[in-house]
Amino acid sequence: MKTIEDYNFEHKRALIRVDFNVPLDKDFQVTDTSRIEAAKPTILKILEDGGSAVLMSHLGRPKGTRNAAMSLSHISEKVSEIVGVQVKFVDDCVGEKVEAAYGDLQDGEVLLLENLRFYPEEEKGDRDFAEQLASFGDVYVNDAFGTAHRAHASTTIVADFFPNSKCFGYLLAKEIKAIEKVMQTGEKPVTAILGGAKVSSKITIIESILDKVNHLIVGGGMTYTFVKAQEGQVGDSICEDDKLELALNILKLAKDKGVAVHLPVDVLAADAFDESANTQILPVDQIPDGWQGLDVGPQTLEKFKEVIINSKTILWNGPAGVFEMKPFAKGTIAIGNFVDEATQKGAFSLVGGGDSVAAVKQFGFQDKVSYVSTGGGAMLESLEGKTLPGIAAILG
Ligand code: AMP
């Protein structure tokens, strides 16, 4: 696996695909700079070697047309501030203006191109467009994990034009290593904690990880499909009636593979999907109509704790309850604390996929786990066992 560590960028111009798809407020100020900060080590390494950097990214969903609200010009100052170099912005990503700016680029300088998705060719993975982008670098560096699952011009196709000079940036390399640690080289016992709303959105992950894990902990809204499938009463809890058979198949498959599945035994049920609803602790399979399980209960947490703190490798995807509402956040917070405890005892813990990161950030767990993935969809697809096109393009 070639990373930027394998290159010396002296007098070289690096074309870097970064993920600067950052949130902006109504005054176009960046409200969360973590993605820019995450790309900084890669940019600095290139500059410190004595090279220059051409940064390209998308921002939002302009759907192939120019849209001033989604211009990367809004973030240019922030990038300058974080990287510590005055970034030069060019208001296009291909064409004469970029050619001129690229021609003037000196060692130690950083050029930021305009939003790639102003051109429909980007998302289509257009070859000519990719070739034009490729003319703005001696080496192609992909450091955008968040878009690595897309075969877009700047994430995948462009790599074809750098057969012997393409590599992963630090961030992408770290993501790949973290996934490998869980999916391939993880020390046993390996535990996956899956939560979130629906079984249907996690089914491919479950099938793929059953070959890798020793324990599967199930929480969140998914629970009730498994419980109802085993003839439990779930009341008004979220439940996918058309997935009951699938849930039974998963349980059987897990048994055949020797994976211990841990389902909640008790839940915090509420009489409405509301912060001020009445609540009570109930056995998971005895929830009357008019009530719905919105978090895991105390006995369940005791059971989960035992498994989690004795694990050596942990994957956590999806909250244990409706963590956005304070009364139903306890289970998710407790699980975060167990993962923290296991990590302190030497386990490798990876949190990622979909919205998991939101829960982790909300409760400040990001510094307590070994790795928090930056890519929602890309991480989900990796956990599903898929090879991401952006990664394959560098390896190929
Ligand atoms: P996902 O994107 O599939 O990981 O789902 C995350 C969402 O699942 C969060 O917004 C939670 O509020 C929701 N969720 C977790 N537990 C439950 C539950 N018991 N009932 C309904 N929604 C839930």
Side-chain angles (χ1 to χ4, degrees):
M1 182 170 112
K2 271 204 171 153
T3 76
I4 55 168
E5 277 297 299
D6 301 309
Y7 282 84
N8 183 341
F9 289 87
E10 193 179 5
H11 306 314
K12 293 257 188 305
R13 293 168 293 187
L15 175 65
I16 318 177
R17 178 50 159 107
V18 287
D19 180 4
F20 285 172
N21 184 27
V22 293
L24 301 176
D25 65 14
K26 61 176 186 2
D27 300 319
F28 305 112
Q29 298 297 309
V30 182
T31 55
D32 180 350
T33 56
S34 32
R35 285 184 169 162
I36 303 174
E37 275 151 30
K40 181 178 171 179
T42 291
I43 302 168
L44 283 189
K45 142 85 179 157
I46 289 158
L47 300 184
E48 278 162 12
D49 273 2
S52 55
V54 178
L55 308 179
M56 55 177 178
S57 178
H58 74 285
L59 175 64
R61 296 188 171 167
K63 302 210 169 98
T65 50
R66 278 194 174 263
N67 181 330
M70 296 177 204
S71 168
L72 280 166
S73 62
H74 301 307
I75 73 158
S76 181
E77 267 317 300
K78 204 30 109 187
V79 179
S80 304
E81 194 184 306
I82 290 172
V83 177
V85 170
Q86 188 60 46
V87 168
K88 294 182 167 177
F89 175 74
V90 53
D91 69 352
D92 214 337
C93 58
V94 287
E96 282 172 15
K97 280 186 201 163
V98 189
E99 280 160 25
Y102 182 68
D104 290 342
L105 194 67
Q106 304 294 316
D107 292 342
E109 290 187 339
V110 179
L111 183 66
L112 174 64
L113 305 186
E114 182 55 289
N115 194 338
L116 294 157
R117 291 194 189 168
F118 284 178
Y119 287 84
E121 289 88 345
E122 162 64 359
E123 288 179 84
K124 283 186 193 143
D126 184 86
R127 230 184 141 71
D128 291 340
F129 182 70
E131 189 170 11
Q132 289 180 65
L133 293 175
S135 65
F136 305 128
D138 304 311
V139 182
Y140 170 64
V141 180
N142 191 351
D143 209 21
F145 182 64
T147 47
H149 59 316
R150 307 279 183 222
H152 293 170
S154 70
T155 62
T156 302
I157 315 302
V158 69
D160 284 352
F161 300 95
F162 296 88
N164 302 310
S165 47
K166 53 186 176 179
C167 61
F168 296 112
Y170 287 124
L171 175 65
L172 188 41
K174 259 201 305 197
E175 294 274 359
I176 296 169
K177 283 193 189 119
I179 296 163
E180 259 176 26
K181 264 195 167 168
V182 171
M183 300 292 275
Q184 289 165 28
T185 58
E187 196 185 334
K188 289 182 168 118
V190 182
T191 298
I193 308 164
L194 292 188
K198 292 178 171 179
V199 181
S200 52
S201 63
K202 305 278 159 102
I203 177 67
T204 346
I205 298 186
I206 300 178
E207 284 171 350
S208 138
I209 60 173
L210 281 180
D211 285 322
K212 328 270 180 199
V213 304
N214 306 103
H215 296 274
L216 172 62
I217 289 180
V218 174
M222 272 204 290
T223 305
Y224 307 98
T225 305
F226 284 100
V227 172
K228 189 164 179 184
Q230 297 175 94
E231 282 159 31
Q233 268 184 41
V234 299
D236 296 350
S237 307
I238 186 173
C239 181
E240 292 172 279
D241 284 327
D242 58 334
K243 297 286 180 294
L244 300 179
E245 208 182 312
L246 184 75
L248 287 179
N249 287 341
I250 291 173
L251 294 175
K252 179 164 184 313
L253 197 65
K255 200 170 170 200
D256 292 347
K257 290 183 187 288
V259 178
V261 178
H262 307 274
L263 280 162
V265 288
D266 59 348
V267 296
L268 178 63
D271 61 358
F273 190 84
D274 195 290
E275 206 144 337
S276 54
N278 297 306
T279 61
Q280 59 176 323
I281 303 287
L282 290 171
V284 73
D285 56 353
Q286 292 170 42
I287 306 173
D289 288 345
W291 291 79
Q292 53 188 303
L294 294 183
D295 196 6
V296 291
Q299 274 185 49
T300 302
L301 286 173
E302 279 306 308
K303 222 176 78 151
F304 287 1
K305 178 179 183 179
E306 192 60 29
V307 179
I308 296 171
I309 63 171
N310 291 309
S311 299
K312 286 275 177 251
T313 305
I314 300 168
L315 162 71
W316 184 13
N317 171 278
V322 185
F323 72 96
E324 298 92 336
M325 292 195 248
K326 201 164 172 229
F328 312 112
K330 243 192 217 157
T332 302
I333 295 173
I335 287 179
N337 287 328
F338 304 151
V339 175
D340 177 16
E341 196 175 328
T343 311
Q344 284 189 40
K345 280 174 43 183
F348 178 80
S349 52
L350 165 65
V351 182
D355 276 342
S356 309
V357 177
V360 163
K361 280 194 174 165
Q362 182 171 330
F363 303 120
F365 288 128
Q366 66 269 34
D367 302 325
K368 298 181 173 170
V369 297
S370 314
Y371 196 73
V372 180
S373 172
T374 56
M379 178 53 80
L380 286 183
E381 291 196 16
S382 301
L383 298 176
E384 286 170 0
K386 292 182 188 155
T387 306
L388 310 187
I391 292 175
I394 299 283
L395 296 174

